[in-house]
Amino acid sequence: MPRLPQLTEDPDGLLEETRRQLGRVPNLYAALANGPAALRGYLAMRDALTGGVLPARLREKIALLVAQENHCTYCVSAHTMRGTRMGMSEEELKLTRDGHDADPHADAVLQITQEVVRAGGRVSDESLARARQAGVTDAELAEIVAHVALNTLSNSFNHLAQPDLDFPEVTV
């Protein structure tokens, strides 16, 4: 049972903005609407990052990996479904959840993402050098940290609110 209500009324238009960005209003967002400023900030950051240098498929992989690292069943389930809809295979999704990818550049992005999550951003000089050697740019590094922050927000809020799972469940 959810610990916070999943709102349906939308006096600020935030749920409609969620629908515009995602095509629907997942229960996590309906619960986050209890704090309109929190949902507004989340949506603004998400919207800004969609116009960044990281392609949609890689952004989705980052979201899935962060959810896995943060042990968020709701978000792993949501991002697995989205990844599947983007054409990711079961093997590719599993590899992503382990922090790897068959493509060397994407693998480097996921490896540095995993270290950012695990070390609170305190990435080693060696890891940073490996990422750069694999072609990860400074712009990508900045966006990786921003995506970690964005997804950690939703993962942490999910742990607090415990909304009803509205995606096929994937065990973390």
Side-chain angles (χ1 to χ4, degrees), residues 4-153:
L4 292 177
Q6 295 158 186
L7 303 182
T8 55
E9 292 188 24
D10 193 19
D12 298 318
L14 294 171
L15 297 179
E16 187 51 42
E17 177 62 15
T18 301
R19 191 173 283 103
R20 182 190 70 75
Q21 286 190 23
L22 302 178
R24 63 186 285 246
V25 179
N27 289 334
L28 177 67
Y29 294 76
L32 190 55
N34 282 284
L39 181 55
R40 189 177 303 108
Y42 179 88
L43 292 173
M45 187 171 189
R46 185 184 185 285
D47 196 37
L49 288 171
T50 61
V53 296
L54 292 170
R57 188 177 184 94
L58 195 47
R59 292 192 313 263
E60 195 58 42
K61 288 182 176 198
I62 290 169
L64 177 58
L65 176 57
V66 173
Q68 179 67 40
E69 289 293 315
N70 288 323
H71 309 285
C72 182
T73 298
Y74 184 99
C75 297
V76 166
S77 300
H79 294 294
T80 296
M81 187 181 86
R82 287 181 52 112
T84 300
R85 287 185 177 169
M86 293 175 98
M88 293 180 207
S89 68
E90 288 293 321
E91 182 180 322
E92 187 176 8
L93 291 165
K94 181 178 180 342
L95 207 55
T96 297
R97 289 175 64 187
D98 290 338
H100 292 288
D101 197 279
D103 173 77
H105 178 262
D107 188 67
V109 166
L110 294 177
Q111 285 291 293
I112 205 82
T113 298
Q114 193 171 50
E115 190 166 342
V116 166
V117 173
R118 291 180 177 179
R122 291 174 184 87
V123 172
S124 72
D125 290 342
E126 295 80 15
S127 295
L128 187 58
R130 270 194 307 279
R132 286 186 168 141
Q133 189 171 31
V136 179
T137 67
D138 291 345
E140 289 173 320
L141 289 166
E143 288 184 22
I144 288 165
V145 173
H147 279 284
V148 168
L150 179 71
N151 287 286
T152 298
L153 187 161

